[in-house]
Amino acid sequence: MGLSKGQKKRLYGNNIEAKTTIAPPAETAHKARTQSVRHDSVEANPESGKSFMFAGVAFVIAVLLMLYYYLWVLPEMSERAGTTISELKFWFDQQHALAVNQGLGRDMLVQYQYIHRSSGLIFPLIFAGAWVAMISASQFAKTVSRLMMAVPVLWALVFILGNFVLDAALANPATGPVGVAALLVAVRWVLFIACWVQLGWMAVRLVQGKIDAFSRGALKGQQPIR
């Protein structure tokens, strides 16, 4: 005949409570930790998705503005000037600035200056903002991220400043800052190419990350690979 609970307590003391307490199995604890990690990941994914969505929308807008500026506005000004407009050249000299000045005439020069204060101002700001958003969404190391963001920001500053200097150079090619304008346009092109190199690196990095996640079975909705 077995002992009752009260008899066991009187016989063994309070140790019986500790002995009868069953510790949760290691597997149960592991599952709890796994569920916690998965919950944290689910909480983090929406923010990352929103960042990529914002960066993607900004990128599309920036590309459309770029195509409008470089494939519509500037070619039209080149046609009016009778020669390639200075912004579309990697380098130009005083003779070229004089040819643009004479080809456009006073009224078209004023219109060209207005372009630099409208679409020529909006385009670099949105382009730089889109690039900064994409770099931020790519989650680089802090130092790398800051260095990469400096490229599009510097490009936008050189672009805007260069347009104002170019206006002064074309308005008076004989004594205007033609050399400074040509230098700023050249730097603009170098930084512009660097921005697209950054985009290529980010794209390769993203694809490699997806491939690595797929190989580990870590993609959203993917069954674990055994």
Side-chain angles (χ1 to χ4, degrees):
M1 180 174 173
L3 298 176
S4 67
K5 186 175 181 180
Q7 290 173 331
K8 289 180 180 180
K9 187 172 183 180
R10 285 193 299 271
L11 181 62
Y12 298 107
N14 293 332
N15 292 335
I16 188 63
E17 297 294 336
K19 291 180 180 179
T20 56
T21 303
I22 301 175
E27 183 179 355
T28 304
H30 175 71
K31 287 183 178 179
R33 288 194 299 269
T34 304
Q35 289 176 354
S36 176
V37 171
R38 287 179 179 176
H39 177 71
D40 293 340
S41 299
V42 170
E43 290 295 324
N45 283 337
E47 295 298 327
S48 178
K50 289 179 181 178
S51 298
F52 275 107
M53 183 179 297
F54 174 80
V57 172
F59 173 75
V60 171
I61 295 174
V63 170
L64 291 176
L65 285 173
M66 179 192 70
L67 295 175
Y68 169 73
Y69 191 77
Y70 280 115
L71 298 183
W72 178 264
V73 176
L74 295 185
E76 184 178 0
M77 296 305 298
S78 297
E79 185 178 354
R80 297 288 184 90
T83 184
T84 303
I85 206 73
S86 305
E87 286 182 70
L88 291 177
K89 296 176 68 69
F90 192 83
W91 186 263
F92 60 92
D93 54 15
Q94 189 175 26
Q95 184 177 359
H96 178 267
L98 181 60
V100 173
N101 174 279
Q102 294 176 347
L104 290 178
R106 183 175 180 179
D107 293 339
M108 288 305 301
L109 278 174
V110 172
Q111 184 175 344
Y112 187 41
Q113 293 172 1
Y114 174 76
I115 290 173
H116 286 163
R117 287 155 181 78
S118 54
S119 58
L121 185 62
I122 297 172
F123 159 57
L125 293 177
I126 293 181
F127 186 93
W131 248 245
V132 168
M134 288 190 294
I135 293 170
S136 177
S138 297
Q139 299 179 347
F140 288 98
K142 191 173 182 180
T143 302
V144 176
S145 180
R146 287 180 176 179
L147 290 174
M148 291 186 67
M149 288 180 182
V151 176
V153 171
L154 184 59
W155 173 82
L157 293 175
V158 171
F159 192 106
I160 295 170
L161 177 62
N163 280 347
F164 284 98
V165 177
L166 182 59
D167 289 337
L170 295 179
N172 191 359
T175 59
V178 176
V180 177
L183 178 61
L184 290 174
V185 169
V187 173
R188 177 203 299 185
W189 281 115
V190 172
L191 293 173
F192 189 62
I193 294 171
C195 287
W196 287 98
V197 171
Q198 285 183 341
L199 179 64
W201 182 27
M202 287 187 285
V204 170
R205 185 173 178 268
L206 178 62
V207 172
Q208 288 179 339
K210 293 295 184 182
I211 294 175
D212 181 62
F214 177 79
S215 64
R216 292 184 285 106
L219 287 179
K220 185 177 180 181
Q222 179 187 354
Q223 294 296 328
I225 299 177
R226 297 178 180 180

